[in-house]
Amino acid sequence: MMEKHKTVLHARNVRKSFGARGNVQEVLKGIELRVAEGEFVGIMGPSGAGKTTLLNVLATIDRATDGAILIDGSDISRMKNAELSAFRRDKLGFIFQDYNLLDTLTSKENILLPISLGKVNKKEAEARFTEIATILGIMDISHKYPYELSGGQKQRTSAARALINEPSMVFADEPTGALDSKSASSLLGTMEDVNKKRGVTIMMVTHDAVASSYCSRVVFLKDGNIYSELYRGGKTRQAFFQDILNVQGILGGDGIDTI
């Protein structure tokens, strides 16, 4: 059994700048962050705070300008492109706002895609698919194509694809942004359940206080730095939601005021 409080992600003095000489914009200004195994971490902050940039550099989608990023003890900031691609495939899962499903593949084929390129045999692949699809409630749509699915079904397919490879960490970028409130609540409840019961480590960028209230910790960014953090602890989701709103009010972030 893995150590309970093992650090899955460690960002050390992470900086990210855009632009050329004479017109450089520093978006991340020395981020220090640890994420422990089994955490569900929300990243929040006002527009321009650096939320998506932080997610992108931590998730290997973009490279940091400076600093070190360790995931499962491996420094991704030092990896060459081929090594990074293999690490991303084997160790990470992604849930995007726009689903990123392939239209020519069924729901099941989309979900199995990450392990179809690896060394998982067919029997094991089928077992994993059945388990994940059952948890996410999408077994009955496994034969359908993306154009036949609702937004909620597409995002659950995307979530199943992120989990099928049993990743060290799942990164979610505004996963409820394109969903109606009922579908969003259903997806977030499932993500919270998967986090608690399966110990899946999740980092989610969101502007929505309701979405963040499902997390175990929320990290607030302001002007490229970590401004503050909130831990849910034993609080109800409603109480945690109110705490998040209070910090959002100070930061001037966007959100809604009902749960």
Side-chain angles (χ1 to χ4, degrees), residues 121-176:
N121 64 48
K122 189 174 181 180
K123 186 177 179 181
E124 169 68 10
E126 283 290 334
R128 288 196 199 179
F129 168 77
T130 300
E131 182 182 13
I132 293 297
T134 301
I135 290 169
L136 287 162
I138 52 174
M139 277 295 288
D140 59 332
I141 60 160
S142 62
H143 63 288
K144 293 187 175 182
Y145 289 88
Y147 71 88
E148 299 177 288
L149 306 179
S150 68
Q153 290 170 330
K154 287 178 184 177
Q155 198 56 296
R156 283 174 174 272
T157 298
S158 176
R161 181 185 57 193
L163 294 166
I164 193 76
N165 216 20
E166 299 176 347
S168 299
M169 192 154 182
V170 171
F171 292 95
D173 187 8
E174 298 280 7
T176 61

Coordinates of all heavy atoms in Angstrom, one line a residue, residues 121-176:
N121 N -3.0 -5.6 -21.8 CA -3.6 -6.6 -22.7 C -5.1 -6.4 -22.8 O -5.7 -5.7 -22.0 CB -3.2 -8.0 -22.2 CG -3.8 -8.4 -20.9 OD1 -5.0 -8.1 -20.6 ND2 -3.0 -8.9 -20.0
K122 N -5.7 -7.1 -23.7 CA -7.1 -6.8 -24.0 C -8.1 -7.2 -22.8 O -9.0 -6.4 -22.5 CB -7.6 -7.7 -25.3 CG -8.9 -7.3 -25.8 CD -9.3 -8.1 -27.1 CE -10.7 -7.7 -27.6 NZ -11.0 -8.4 -28.8
K123 N -7.8 -8.2 -22.1 CA -8.6 -8.7 -21.0 C -8.5 -7.6 -19.9 O -9.6 -7.2 -19.3 CB -8.1 -10.0 -20.5 CG -9.0 -10.6 -19.4 CD -8.5 -12.0 -19.0 CE -9.4 -12.5 -17.9 NZ -8.9 -13.9 -17.4
E124 N -7.3 -7.1 -19.6 CA -7.2 -6.1 -18.6 C -7.8 -4.8 -19.0 O -8.5 -4.1 -18.2 CB -5.7 -5.9 -18.3 CG -5.3 -4.7 -17.5 CD -5.7 -4.8 -16.0 OE1 -6.1 -5.9 -15.6 OE2 -5.7 -3.8 -15.3
A125 N -7.7 -4.5 -20.3 CA -8.3 -3.2 -20.8 C -9.8 -3.3 -20.6 O -10.4 -2.3 -20.2 CB -7.9 -3.0 -22.3
E126 N -10.4 -4.4 -21.0 CA -11.9 -4.6 -20.8 C -12.3 -4.5 -19.4 O -13.3 -3.9 -19.1 CB -12.3 -6.0 -21.4 CG -12.3 -6.0 -22.9 CD -13.5 -5.2 -23.5 OE1 -14.5 -4.9 -22.8 OE2 -13.3 -4.7 -24.6
A127 N -11.5 -5.1 -18.5 CA -11.8 -5.0 -17.0 C -11.8 -3.6 -16.5 O -12.7 -3.2 -15.8 CB -10.9 -5.9 -16.3
R128 N -10.8 -2.9 -16.9 CA -10.7 -1.5 -16.5 C -11.8 -0.6 -17.1 O -12.4 0.2 -16.4 CB -9.3 -0.9 -17.0 CG -8.1 -1.4 -16.3 CD -7.0 -0.4 -16.5 NE -5.7 -1.0 -16.2 CZ -4.5 -0.4 -16.4 NH1 -4.5 0.8 -16.9 NH2 -3.4 -1.0 -16.1
F129 N -12.1 -0.9 -18.3 CA -13.2 -0.1 -19.0 C -14.5 -0.4 -18.2 O -15.3 0.6 -17.9 CB -13.4 -0.5 -20.4 CG -14.7 0.0 -21.0 CD1 -14.8 1.4 -21.4 CD2 -15.8 -0.8 -21.1 CE1 -16.0 1.9 -21.8 CE2 -17.0 -0.3 -21.6 CZ -17.1 1.1 -22.0
T130 N -14.8 -1.6 -17.9 CA -16.1 -2.0 -17.3 C -16.2 -1.3 -15.9 O -17.2 -0.7 -15.5 CB -16.2 -3.5 -17.1 OG1 -16.2 -4.1 -18.4 CG2 -17.5 -3.9 -16.4
E131 N -15.1 -1.3 -15.2 CA -15.1 -0.7 -13.8 C -15.3 0.8 -13.9 O -16.1 1.3 -13.2 CB -13.7 -1.0 -13.1 CG -13.6 -0.5 -11.7 CD -12.3 -0.7 -11.1 OE1 -11.3 -1.1 -11.8 OE2 -12.2 -0.5 -9.8
I132 N -14.5 1.5 -14.7 CA -14.6 2.9 -14.8 C -15.9 3.4 -15.4 O -16.6 4.3 -14.9 CB -13.4 3.5 -15.7 CG1 -12.1 3.3 -15.0 CG2 -13.6 5.0 -16.0 CD1 -11.9 4.0 -13.7
A133 N -16.4 2.7 -16.4 CA -17.7 3.1 -17.1 C -18.8 2.9 -16.1 O -19.8 3.6 -16.1 CB -17.9 2.3 -18.4
T134 N -18.8 1.8 -15.3 CA -19.8 1.6 -14.3 C -19.8 2.7 -13.2 O -20.9 3.2 -12.9 CB -19.6 0.2 -13.6 OG1 -19.6 -0.8 -14.7 CG2 -20.7 -0.1 -12.6
I135 N -18.6 3.0 -12.7 CA -18.5 4.1 -11.7 C -19.1 5.4 -12.3 O -19.8 6.1 -11.5 CB -17.1 4.3 -11.3 CG1 -16.6 3.1 -10.5 CG2 -16.9 5.6 -10.5 CD1 -15.1 3.1 -10.3
L136 N -18.8 5.7 -13.5 CA -19.3 7.0 -14.1 C -20.7 6.9 -14.7 O -21.2 7.9 -15.3 CB -18.3 7.4 -15.1 CG -17.0 8.0 -14.5 CD1 -15.8 8.0 -15.5 CD2 -17.2 9.4 -13.9
G137 N -21.3 5.7 -14.7 CA -22.7 5.5 -15.2 C -22.8 5.7 -16.7 O -23.8 6.2 -17.1
I138 N -21.8 5.2 -17.4 CA -21.9 5.4 -18.9 C -21.8 4.0 -19.7 O -21.5 4.1 -20.9 CB -20.8 6.4 -19.4 CG1 -19.5 6.0 -18.9 CG2 -21.2 7.8 -19.0 CD1 -18.3 6.8 -19.4
M139 N -22.0 2.9 -19.0 CA -22.0 1.6 -19.7 C -23.0 1.6 -20.9 O -22.7 1.0 -21.9 CB -22.2 0.5 -18.8 CG -21.0 0.0 -18.0 SD -19.7 -0.7 -19.0 CE -20.4 -2.2 -19.4
D140 N -24.1 2.2 -20.6 CA -25.2 2.1 -21.6 C -25.0 3.0 -22.9 O -25.7 2.9 -23.9 CB -26.6 2.4 -21.0 CG -26.6 3.8 -20.4 OD1 -25.5 4.4 -20.0 OD2 -27.7 4.4 -20.4
I141 N -24.0 3.8 -22.8 CA -23.7 4.7 -24.0 C -22.4 4.3 -24.7 O -21.9 5.0 -25.5 CB -23.7 6.2 -23.7 CG1 -22.6 6.5 -22.6 CG2 -25.1 6.6 -23.2 CD1 -22.2 7.9 -22.5
S142 N -21.8 3.2 -24.3 CA -20.4 2.9 -24.7 C -20.3 2.7 -26.2 O -19.3 2.9 -26.8 CB -20.0 1.6 -24.0 OG -20.8 0.5 -24.3
H143 N -21.5 2.3 -26.9 CA -21.5 2.1 -28.3 C -21.8 3.4 -29.1 O -21.7 3.4 -30.4 CB -22.5 1.0 -28.7 CG -23.9 1.5 -28.3 ND1 -24.4 1.5 -27.0 CD2 -25.0 1.8 -29.1 CE1 -25.6 2.0 -27.0 NE2 -26.0 2.1 -28.3
K144 N -22.1 4.5 -28.4 CA -22.5 5.7 -29.1 C -21.3 6.6 -29.5 O -20.3 6.5 -28.8 CB -23.5 6.5 -28.3 CG -24.9 5.7 -28.1 CD -25.9 6.6 -27.4 CE -27.2 6.0 -27.3 NZ -28.2 6.9 -26.7
Y145 N -21.5 7.4 -30.5 CA -20.5 8.3 -31.0 C -20.7 9.7 -30.3 O -21.9 10.0 -29.8 CB -20.5 8.5 -32.5 CG -20.0 7.2 -33.2 CD1 -20.9 6.2 -33.5 CD2 -18.7 7.1 -33.5 CE1 -20.4 5.0 -34.1 CE2 -18.2 5.9 -34.1 CZ -19.1 4.9 -34.4 OH -18.6 3.8 -35.1
P146 N -19.7 10.5 -30.2 CA -19.8 11.8 -29.5 C -21.0 12.6 -29.9 O -21.7 13.3 -29.1 CB -18.5 12.5 -29.8 CG -17.5 11.4 -29.9 CD -18.3 10.3 -30.6
Y147 N -21.3 12.6 -31.2 CA -22.5 13.5 -31.7 C -23.8 13.0 -31.2 O -24.8 13.7 -31.2 CB -22.5 13.6 -33.2 CG -22.9 12.3 -33.9 CD1 -24.2 12.0 -34.2 CD2 -21.9 11.4 -34.3 CE1 -24.6 10.9 -34.9 CE2 -22.3 10.2 -35.0 CZ -23.6 9.9 -35.2 OH -24.0 8.8 -35.9
E148 N -23.8 11.8 -30.6 CA -25.1 11.2 -30.1 C -25.2 11.4 -28.6 O -26.2 11.0 -28.0 CB -25.1 9.7 -30.4 CG -25.1 9.3 -31.9 CD -25.1 7.8 -32.1 OE1 -24.0 7.2 -31.8 OE2 -26.1 7.2 -32.5
L149 N -24.2 12.0 -28.0 CA -24.2 12.2 -26.5 C -24.5 13.6 -26.1 O -24.3 14.6 -26.8 CB -22.8 11.8 -26.0 CG -22.2 10.5 -26.4 CD1 -20.8 10.3 -25.8 CD2 -23.1 9.3 -25.9
S150 N -25.1 13.7 -24.9 CA -25.3 15.0 -24.3 C -24.0 15.6 -23.8 O -23.0 14.8 -23.7 CB -26.3 14.9 -23.1 OG -25.7 14.1 -22.1
G151 N -24.0 16.8 -23.4 CA -22.7 17.4 -22.8 C -22.3 16.7 -21.6 O -21.1 16.4 -21.4
G152 N -23.2 16.3 -20.7 CA -22.8 15.6 -19.5 C -22.2 14.2 -19.8 O -21.3 13.8 -19.2
Q153 N -22.8 13.5 -20.8 CA -22.3 12.2 -21.2 C -20.9 12.3 -21.8 O -20.0 11.5 -21.6 CB -23.3 11.5 -22.2 CG -24.6 11.1 -21.5 CD -25.6 10.7 -22.5 OE1 -25.7 11.1 -23.7 NE2 -26.5 9.7 -22.1
K154 N -20.7 13.4 -22.6 CA -19.4 13.6 -23.2 C -18.4 13.8 -22.1 O -17.2 13.3 -22.2 CB -19.4 14.8 -24.1 CG -20.2 14.6 -25.5 CD -20.2 15.9 -26.3 CE -21.0 15.7 -27.5 NZ -21.1 17.0 -28.3
Q155 N -18.7 14.6 -21.1 CA -17.7 14.9 -20.1 C -17.4 13.7 -19.2 O -16.3 13.5 -18.7 CB -18.2 16.1 -19.2 CG -17.1 16.8 -18.4 CD -15.9 17.2 -19.3 OE1 -15.2 16.4 -19.9 NE2 -15.7 18.5 -19.3
R156 N -18.4 12.8 -19.0 CA -18.2 11.6 -18.2 C -17.3 10.6 -19.1 O -16.5 9.9 -18.5 CB -19.5 10.9 -17.9 CG -20.2 11.6 -16.7 CD -21.6 11.1 -16.5 NE -22.2 11.7 -15.3 CZ -22.0 11.2 -14.0 NH1 -21.3 10.1 -13.9 NH2 -22.5 11.8 -13.0
T157 N -17.5 10.6 -20.4 CA -16.6 9.9 -21.2 C -15.2 10.4 -21.1 O -14.2 9.6 -21.0 CB -17.1 9.9 -22.7 OG1 -18.4 9.3 -22.8 CG2 -16.2 9.2 -23.6
S158 N -15.1 11.7 -21.1 CA -13.8 12.3 -21.0 C -13.1 12.0 -19.7 O -11.9 11.7 -19.6 CB -13.9 13.9 -21.2 OG -12.7 14.5 -21.0
A159 N -13.9 12.0 -18.6 CA -13.4 11.7 -17.3 C -13.0 10.2 -17.2 O -12.0 9.9 -16.6 CB -14.5 11.9 -16.2
A160 N -13.8 9.3 -17.8 CA -13.4 7.9 -17.8 C -12.1 7.7 -18.6 O -11.2 6.9 -18.2 CB -14.5 7.1 -18.5
R161 N -11.9 8.4 -19.7 CA -10.7 8.3 -20.5 C -9.5 8.8 -19.6 O -8.4 8.2 -19.7 CB -10.8 9.2 -21.7 CG -9.5 9.2 -22.6 CD -9.7 10.2 -23.8 NE -9.9 11.5 -23.3 CZ -10.3 12.5 -24.0 NH1 -10.5 12.3 -25.3 NH2 -10.5 13.7 -23.5
A162 N -9.7 9.8 -18.8 CA -8.6 10.3 -17.9 C -8.3 9.3 -16.8 O -7.1 9.3 -16.4 CB -9.1 11.6 -17.3
L163 N -9.2 8.5 -16.4 CA -9.0 7.6 -15.3 C -8.6 6.2 -15.7 O -8.0 5.4 -14.9 CB -10.3 7.4 -14.5 CG -10.7 8.7 -13.7 CD1 -12.1 8.6 -13.2 CD2 -9.8 9.0 -12.6
I164 N -8.8 5.8 -17.0 CA -8.6 4.4 -17.5 C -7.1 3.9 -17.3 O -6.9 2.8 -17.0 CB -9.0 4.3 -18.9 CG1 -9.1 2.8 -19.4 CG2 -8.0 5.0 -19.9 CD1 -10.3 2.1 -18.8
N165 N -6.2 4.9 -17.3 CA -4.8 4.5 -17.3 C -4.3 4.5 -15.8 O -3.1 4.3 -15.6 CB -3.9 5.4 -18.1 CG -2.7 4.7 -18.7 OD1 -2.8 3.5 -18.9 ND2 -1.7 5.5 -19.1
E166 N -5.2 4.6 -14.9 CA -4.8 4.6 -13.4 C -3.7 5.6 -13.2 O -2.6 5.3 -12.7 CB -4.5 3.2 -12.9 CG -5.7 2.3 -13.1 CD -5.4 0.8 -12.7 OE1 -4.2 0.5 -12.6 OE2 -6.3 0.0 -12.6
P167 N -3.9 6.9 -13.6 CA -2.8 7.9 -13.5 C -2.4 8.3 -12.1 O -3.2 8.1 -11.2 CB -3.4 9.1 -14.3 CG -4.9 9.0 -14.0 CD -5.2 7.5 -14.0
S168 N -1.2 8.8 -12.0 CA -0.8 9.3 -10.7 C -1.5 10.6 -10.4 O -1.8 10.9 -9.2 CB 0.7 9.7 -10.8 OG 1.5 8.5 -11.0
M169 N -2.0 11.3 -11.4 CA -2.7 12.6 -11.2 C -3.6 12.9 -12.4 O -3.2 12.6 -13.5 CB -1.6 13.7 -11.0 CG -2.2 15.0 -10.5 SD -1.0 15.9 -9.6 CE -2.0 17.3 -9.1
V170 N -4.8 13.5 -12.0 CA -5.7 13.9 -13.1 C -5.8 15.4 -13.0 O -5.9 16.0 -12.0 CB -7.1 13.3 -12.9 CG1 -8.1 14.0 -13.8 CG2 -7.1 11.8 -13.1
F171 N -5.6 16.1 -14.2 CA -5.8 17.5 -14.3 C -7.1 17.8 -15.0 O -7.4 17.3 -16.1 CB -4.6 18.1 -15.1 CG -3.3 18.0 -14.4 CD1 -2.4 17.0 -14.6 CD2 -2.9 19.0 -13.5 CE1 -1.2 16.9 -14.0 CE2 -1.7 18.9 -12.8 CZ -0.8 17.8 -13.1
A172 N -7.9 18.7 -14.4 CA -9.1 19.1 -15.0 C -9.2 20.6 -15.2 O -9.0 21.4 -14.3 CB -10.3 18.7 -14.1
D173 N -9.5 21.1 -16.4 CA -9.5 22.5 -16.8 C -11.0 22.9 -17.0 O -11.5 22.6 -18.0 CB -8.7 22.8 -18.0 CG -8.5 24.3 -18.3 OD1 -9.0 25.1 -17.5 OD2 -8.0 24.6 -19.3
E174 N -11.6 23.6 -16.0 CA -13.0 24.0 -16.1 C -13.9 22.9 -16.6 O -14.6 23.1 -17.6 CB -13.1 25.2 -17.1 CG -12.3 26.5 -16.6 CD -13.1 27.3 -15.6 OE1 -14.1 26.8 -15.1 OE2 -12.6 28.4 -15.2
P175 N -13.8 21.7 -16.0 CA -14.6 20.6 -16.5 C -16.1 20.7 -16.6 O -16.8 20.0 -17.3 CB -14.2 19.4 -15.5 CG -13.9 20.1 -14.3 CD -13.2 21.4 -14.7
T176 N -16.6 21.7 -15.8 CA -18.1 21.9 -15.8 C -18.5 23.1 -16.6 O -19.7 23.5 -16.6 CB -18.6 22.0 -14.4 OG1 -18.0 23.2 -13.7 CG2 -18.3 20.8 -13.6

